[in-house]
Amino acid sequence: MISSLKITILVENTAGGRGLLGEHGLSFLIEADNSRILFDTGQGMTLIHNGDILGVSLNNLDAIALSHGHYDHSGGLVHLLPLCKNTDLYLHPNALMPKYSPRGDIGFSLDEETLSRSFQRVIKTEKPTEIAKDIYITGSIPRNHPLEDTGGLFWHDQNHHEVDPMLDDQALYLDTYKGLFVILGCAHAGVINTLDYISQITNKKEIYGVIGGMHLLRASQERLMTTVETLKKYNIQLLGANHCTGIDAISFLWHELKSIDCRDCRVGTILEIESMGK
């Protein structure tokens, strides 16, 4: 299990320090023992800038993993291509499919040939996949809970005929000495479905930490309350909801989970689990 974990938020809707910039998007740099992994890349307007301000190098990462194919999580990838000769890329195959919303094209901007040429390996992740020691990505998440939906109107075509069920949505999870630590991109599969699936595939009944986008912006009161009950069920100790969760939903979670360490996870935030020996 991972004995030392540091997570730096490089892209998020809001910024928390001088010189840092926010954008609608998400990117986490994960440093776990000897592994350096980037989870999502934001839109691409702020990733490199914020990394420079924070003194973070994005050269030769061990891996980049994408939670799904929307532009606000994959757009920054194009700026990293010159740095990724020795880096593996993990993504669900459906992330490369066309993606539209009422606003227009919101999909992936790179083709498979470019990705294959730029990365050491491109690994498709339909099922749970190990990225590095004790670091995994879920692959497709079963949609079992009746209250959860994808959080918006999404299609595979610009004429809005073919609904996109967002099967490429996946989460990253780490097995640390304090317990499971889950990192969400947008949780289009639903927070409840995601945590239930991770519990199922790991055979663990408790989850130490959950951070990331939860797509609860338009969630009903019933769904919000059921999400709270799920977080309590897994005995969550640390919560960092951000990005697409929505400020009202974040406030609701903080209010209902007073006994939990709720973190403000904007650009510049650093979350650490100190080495087990300290």
Side-chain angles (χ1 to χ4, degrees):
M1 63 183 62
I2 293 166
S3 63
S4 180
L5 175 63
K6 179 180 179 181
I7 300 172
T8 304
I9 299 178
L10 296 177
V11 178
E12 205 268 332
N13 302 27
T14 55
R18 180 171 293 179
L20 296 172
L21 299 175
E23 69 174 33
H24 179 77
L26 206 53
S27 180
F28 302 92
L29 178 64
I30 300 156
E31 297 172 279
D33 290 341
N34 297 317
S35 299
R36 297 178 73 246
I37 295 167
L38 192 70
F39 186 50
D40 285 345
T41 65
Q43 293 186 45
M45 297 183 288
T46 65
L47 177 63
I48 301 298
H49 169 86
N50 288 338
D52 289 343
I53 294 293
L54 293 168
V56 169
S57 172
L58 297 173
N59 285 292
N60 292 320
L61 297 160
D62 294 300
I64 297 173
L66 298 180
S67 63
H68 61 298
H70 283 169
Y71 74 102
D72 53 327
H73 295 258
S74 64
L77 198 60
V78 66
H79 301 292
L80 298 175
L81 297 184
L83 312 176
C84 293
K85 182 180 179 181
N86 301 312
T87 299
D88 292 334
L89 175 66
Y90 291 79
L91 78 169
H92 192 283
N94 284 28
L96 299 170
M97 294 181 69
K99 293 184 175 294
Y100 294 87
S101 78
R103 292 176 294 160
D105 187 350
I106 56 169
F108 206 95
S109 62
L110 297 169
D111 57 48
E112 284 198 70
E113 183 181 345
T114 301
L115 297 178
S116 298
R117 188 171 61 245
S118 303
F119 288 90
Q120 179 173 261
R121 295 186 301 162
V122 177
I123 298 101
K124 305 289 182 63
T125 55
E126 290 181 273
K127 297 180 179 180
T129 303
E130 186 173 32
I131 296 175
K133 189 177 186 308
D134 296 316
I135 305 174
Y136 306 85
I137 198 159
T138 60
S140 293
I141 297 164
R143 315 295 173 86
N144 295 322
H145 202 283
L147 286 176
E148 297 200 295
D149 55 42
T150 57
L153 299 172
F154 304 112
W155 297 273
H156 283 308
D157 67 303
Q158 60 184 339
N159 295 318
H160 302 173
H161 293 149
E162 184 183 354
V163 172
D164 181 2
M166 293 300 304
L167 297 181
D168 51 319
D169 178 79
Q170 49 188 352
L172 189 144
Y173 61 99
L174 306 94
D175 187 10
T176 82
Y177 79 93
K178 285 195 172 184
L180 289 176
F181 200 104
V182 176
I183 306 179
L184 308 168
C186 266
H188 286 292
V191 176
I192 300 166
N193 287 329
T194 300
L195 298 185
D196 284 349
Y197 185 55
I198 290 173
S199 174
Q200 174 193 327
I201 59 182
T202 61
N203 198 31
K204 295 191 177 185
K205 304 303 180 187
E206 294 193 352
I207 297 172
Y208 171 72
V210 179
I211 64 172
M214 297 187 177
H215 234 296
L216 296 171
L217 190 63
R218 300 177 186 87
S220 66
Q221 192 74 10
E222 184 182 10
R223 181 177 177 183
L224 286 170
M225 201 64 238
T226 306
T227 301
V228 166
E229 290 166 0
T230 298
L231 293 168
K232 289 180 177 179
K233 178 180 76 172
Y234 288 115
N235 195 27
I236 305 294
Q237 300 299 302
L238 187 152
L239 180 70
N242 63 5
H243 180 46
C244 59
T245 308
I247 189 64
D248 290 341
I250 291 174
S251 298
F252 181 84
L253 293 173
W254 282 38
H255 180 267
E256 295 295 327
L257 298 167
K258 294 184 179 69
S259 62
I260 290 177
D261 183 4
C262 292
R263 302 289 184 92
D264 182 9
C265 288
R266 61 185 68 187
V267 174
T269 299
I270 296 175
L271 305 173
E272 290 188 87
I273 296 178
E274 292 187 347
S275 173
M276 186 163 44
K278 289 187 179 180

